Amino acid sequence: MITRIILIASLAAAVRGSQPGAPAPVAAPMRDLEWGQLNFIHTTDIHGWLGGHLQESLYSADFGDYISFTSHMRQKADEKGVDLLVIDTGDRIEGNGLYDASDPKGKYTYDIFREQTIDALCTGNHELYQEASVAREHNTTVPNFKHSYIASNLDYIEPETGNQIPQAQRYIKFKTKNLGYNVVALGFLFNFDRNANNSVVQPVEEAMKEEWFQAAIREKPDLFLVVGHVGLRMNEFEQIFKVIRDENWFTPIAFLGGHAHVRDARKFDDNAFAIASGRYFETIGWMSVDGIKKKSGNGPSTEATVSFKRRYIDNNLFGLHYHTGLNETTFPTEHGRNVTKMITEGRKALKLDNSFGCAPQDLWMSRAPYPNDNSIFSWLETQVLPTSITNEERANVSRLAIVNTGAIRFDIFKGAFTRDSTYLISPFVSKFNYIADVPYAVASKVLGLLNNGGPVFGGALDTKYLNVPEQMAPSPFLFETATANDRAYPFFVEDGATQKPLGGQAERKKDDPELVGGYTTRDDLGDDGDDAVHSPIKFYAVPNCIQAAINFPAPPPDAGSPPADPATVDLVFIDYVQPWIITALKFSGGDYSTDDIKVYTNSTLTDVIAGWVKEHWSDDC
């Protein structure tokens, strides 16, 4: 059902985001939330964006607004006599100055996040890359949510003793507040193997053989809840579903996932359904379950069919007011206002709004094809890397500089480029390494291997892990051929093109207000999941890696002759891709190992981008 905007459209202009400078949301045709007996509000892959999006009106609400929203929704659930659970599925850190700019990292974000009441949460892979963040998660977030934190396949290594202990509870059991449903909840991370040495991730298949798991799936609850930092199309959820279903033929199973940075919903069978709720606090996920039958005693599950509904809520105050039936006066709670103030004070202390440049245009990760003048990857390849990747001792040596596209996490918007912007674009601490004097005939083959994958790579070195999260385990709906109906919207490239956009289509009636570009999601339930109706935006696939050729020989005076290739080059690469580089070199005829690798520069990609912007975009906006 789409509710037409008539009188409430005029209210949008009066509603602003809670953070100073946040843009006002724009009115849109809205779809209502569909309530069931058991309802879920879900966030995932927030990556530190607790202040909301200060350059995008669609996602400009902050974490204080979210706390107000969940408070009102819990009250509505009580009034309806149904149940509501609030869930988060990891990757709460890395990707925003509010987390990354502080020393220690997360100085403000852990205290802000703990203000929310969460019924079940788990770990993401980003909590595990660095030993310091592993320790902070174990010593801060786990105690903050000691009754709801679940770590079904994650252990922590105690620094004092070296003992390997569970990061948190393997599973939890609870009874819902209003209808008294018995729930068994599990919390998994995908089979991640780039974690720091003070953590241990057990493969999901092995964890399910453990005695505790076998006991959990024999608890005979009214519903199984599986929260996980797992893409819905990845094998791990499929494995968990099959094992639970083999023991419980008809018990409803609700999966809430993440990691892939997409809005998605997947149907496993009539009684098992999954939702993923986007990225970067753009989306608040909503899932409802109806038709749950309470079990009596310890008998087997009985045949029944439940219904699942989903909605992807744009995180802005226009939508949050709409779904709660409140307005700018009645919506904010005292608790929410206090959290908004915490965010404002943290951003001010970290000077995140300080500008040191002005971007002359928008540069897109996936909203422009690559290569293209509007692609952030083309900008890096042709402008930033050639002038910024330098080792003074080898400045005159020809070099190839390789960066994986997954090292870039967000777009650049035309206008002020702030301290916060550098962390939004690339928050990682990865530096640049190199192998000296590699024969060009060998080094020149590496990029093609990294981008084309194939049997030379496998298992942990699958080249999909070099790419942006959206392309690691994509929904089948992301890569589709245009149809006649789709061409009514300028969304898909023409049939037969080598590069296809990602996404779905929107719906619009002639009496609706003009649509704003935004998510138009397709999933296993159809194309009506987004709460606000948008015009579609093109999203394009990108390669795994890009490469800049730096300080190569100049072309000869005779314009008709191509420049000569150098005999050897320094092969420079961001250190994350090192395992793939070694493998690709061996396959290309180069005999290299980690012993041949040296540090090229101690600057991170974040530092490199910031330095380039200060030099080339220094004008005030």
Side-chain angles (χ1 to χ4, degrees):
M1 171 185 178
I2 299 178
T3 301
R4 301 283 173 244
I5 294 179
I6 304 174
L7 297 177
I8 58 174
S10 63
L11 299 178
V15 178
R16 303 200 67 83
S18 289
Q19 287 303 304
V26 179
M30 299 294 290
R31 300 181 177 103
D32 293 329
L33 303 181
E34 297 180 83
W35 288 77
Q37 295 164 315
L38 181 57
N39 306 276
F40 299 91
I41 290 177
H42 177 221
T43 54
T44 190
D45 296 271
I46 289 178
H47 285 287
W49 288 73
L50 301 177
H53 289 236
L54 304 186
Q55 294 176 293
E56 295 181 282
S57 62
L58 288 181
Y59 321 116
S60 55
D62 69 16
F63 205 69
D65 300 317
Y66 180 54
I67 284 175
S68 295
F69 176 68
T70 53
S71 176
H72 293 305
M73 296 302 281
R74 288 184 191 275
Q75 183 177 347
K76 288 174 75 74
D78 290 344
E79 293 169 354
K80 293 174 179 289
V82 298
D83 288 302
L84 175 66
L85 301 175
V86 176
I87 311 294
D88 182 82
T89 51
D91 271 12
R92 293 172 283 275
I93 71 170
E94 295 188 335
N96 189 287
L98 191 60
Y99 172 84
D100 293 286
S102 65
D103 187 13
K105 291 182 183 294
K107 178 180 178 180
Y108 300 96
T109 55
Y110 288 105
D111 287 340
I112 294 167
F113 193 82
R114 72 179 294 182
E115 293 295 319
Q116 179 63 287
T117 300
I118 300 177
D119 298 289
L121 72 164
C122 64
T123 303
N125 55 298
H126 278 265
E127 281 83 9
L128 304 182
Y129 278 113
Q130 306 296 325
E131 288 192 6
S133 61
V134 173
R136 283 192 293 268
E137 187 72 7
H138 184 79
N139 297 321
T140 303
T141 309
V142 171
N144 287 346
F145 298 94
K146 61 183 178 181
H147 297 299
S148 53
Y149 203 114
I150 316 173
S152 295
N153 65 328
L154 175 63
D155 287 348
Y156 177 67
I157 306 297
E158 292 181 314
E160 302 85 2
T161 66
N163 291 338
Q164 180 175 329
I165 63 173
Q167 169 81 322
Q169 306 156 98
R170 295 301 194 201
Y171 73 103
I172 60 176
K173 299 185 295 183
F174 60 89
K175 182 173 290 190
T176 61
K177 176 183 178 182
N178 292 322
L179 294 176
Y181 291 125
N182 290 309
V183 176
V184 167
L186 302 153
F188 280 95
L189 173 65
F190 71 95
N191 295 339
F192 178 56
D193 64 356
R194 301 294 296 271
N195 51 299
N197 289 334
N198 57 343
S199 62
V200 177
V201 179
Q202 186 179 26
V204 169
E205 190 172 7
E206 295 302 314
M208 292 191 296
K209 298 175 183 177
E210 299 282 353
E211 184 177 341
W212 69 263
F213 182 86
Q214 294 299 318
I217 64 174
R218 288 167 172 80
E219 291 279 2
K220 305 304 178 185
D222 300 313
L223 177 136
F224 284 101
L225 169 63
V226 182
V227 303
H229 195 75
V230 181
L232 303 195
R233 311 291 167 168
M234 295 172 71
N235 290 334
E236 289 88 340
F237 268 176
E238 181 76 28
Q239 293 171 334
I240 295 167
F241 161 72
K242 288 179 178 178
V243 173
I244 294 177
R245 182 58 78 227
D246 283 347
E247 183 65 30
N248 301 268
W249 291 359
F250 306 111
T251 305
I253 312 172
F255 291 84
L256 291 99
H259 183 58
H261 288 199
V262 295
R263 297 178 174 188
D264 195 15
R266 180 180 181 184
K267 179 181 178 181
F268 290 96
D269 67 15
D270 287 344
N271 291 329
F273 180 78
I275 185 174
S277 302
R279 61 170 196 175
Y280 303 159
F281 207 32
E282 295 171 343
T283 303
I284 299 170
W286 173 268
M287 180 166 72
S288 62
V289 189
D290 225 357
I292 304 171
K293 290 188 176 181
K294 294 188 69 173
K295 294 179 181 174
S296 57
N298 294 319
S301 59
T302 57
E303 185 169 1
T305 300
V306 298
S307 63
F308 294 87
K309 305 291 184 181
R310 54 61 179 115
R311 193 72 77 216
Y312 310 110
I313 302 169
D314 286 347
N315 184 33
N316 64 66
L317 285 175
F318 179 81
L320 301 188
H321 292 177
Y322 176 84
H323 293 306
T324 55
L326 301 171
N327 57 41
E328 63 271 24
T329 301
T330 57
F331 176 81
T333 63
E334 182 179 1
H335 188 193
R337 286 195 184 99
N338 290 338
V339 173
T340 290
K341 183 178 179 182
M342 292 172 67
I343 296 168
T344 304
E345 291 174 347
R347 291 186 56 84
K348 183 177 180 180
L350 294 171
K351 300 179 181 179
L352 296 183
D353 294 323
N354 285 13
S355 175
F356 50 82
C358 185
Q361 67 174 98
D362 295 329
L363 291 169
W364 306 108
M365 287 179 59
S366 301
R367 287 170 62 174
Y370 166 86
N372 186 278
D373 288 343
N374 297 315
S375 166
I376 195 170
F377 301 112
S378 292
W379 170 73
L380 281 171
E381 186 177 79
T382 62
Q383 298 186 49
V384 178
L385 298 180
T387 59
S388 304
I389 302 301
T390 303
N391 178 315
E392 293 301 328
E393 295 179 359
R394 303 185 65 82
N396 295 324
V397 178
S398 297
R399 52 200 178 273
L400 294 174
I402 294 176
V403 172
N404 66 303
T405 52
I408 298 297
R409 308 301 275 191
F410 202 59
D411 310 308
I412 293 176
F413 293 104
K414 182 179 180 179
F417 192 97
T418 65
R419 187 180 187 214
D420 198 17
S421 302
T422 61
Y423 296 105
L424 305 185
I425 296 164
S426 184
F428 307 123
V429 297
S430 298
K431 298 178 173 61
F432 287 86
N433 292 338
Y434 80 111
I435 300 175
D437 303 322
V438 179
Y440 179 72
V442 173
S444 61
K445 298 176 183 176
V446 169
L447 182 69
L449 288 169
L450 297 179
N451 282 333
N452 295 322
V456 63
F457 302 104
L461 288 185
D462 191 320
T463 53
K464 69 182 181 181
Y465 296 119
L466 297 170
N467 212 304
V468 296
E470 293 86 338
Q471 288 180 218
M472 288 184 186
S475 162
F477 303 98
L478 291 180
F479 297 93
E480 294 184 300
T481 303
T483 66
N485 289 336
D486 291 327
R487 293 194 185 99
Y489 306 95
F491 190 82
F492 292 96
V493 295
E494 292 298 315
D495 294 346
T498 58
Q499 191 173 41
K500 300 288 187 184
L502 315 173
Q505 67 183 38
E507 57 180 276
R508 185 185 177 193
K509 300 296 178 62
K510 63 180 181 180
D511 56 338
D512 283 336
E514 183 176 352
L515 300 182
V516 175
Y519 285 111
T520 51
T521 308
R522 287 182 180 178
D523 57 31
D524 282 7
L525 290 186
D527 60 2
D528 61 348
D530 303 299
D531 76 324
V533 181
H534 299 300
S535 62
I537 295 174
K538 294 180 181 179
F539 293 95
Y540 294 89
V542 297
N544 296 327
C545 294
I546 59 171
Q547 174 180 276
I550 307 170
N551 198 43
F552 269 45
D558 178 7
S561 301
D565 293 327
T568 63
V569 294
D570 284 351
L571 185 59
V572 184
F573 47 89
I574 200 164
D575 61 21
Y576 176 83
V577 307
Q578 180 170 307
W580 289 272
I581 293 287
I582 294 294
T583 302
L585 283 171
K586 289 180 178 178
F587 192 77
S588 302
D591 184 17
Y592 297 96
S593 69
T594 55
D595 294 336
D596 299 299
I597 294 173
K598 300 176 183 178
V599 175
Y600 193 78
T601 174
N602 282 316
S603 297
T604 65
L605 184 58
T606 309
D607 298 330
V608 167
I609 292 172
W612 190 94
V613 168
K614 288 177 182 178
E615 182 176 350
H616 295 86
W617 289 349
S618 58
D619 295 340
D620 293 332
C621 292

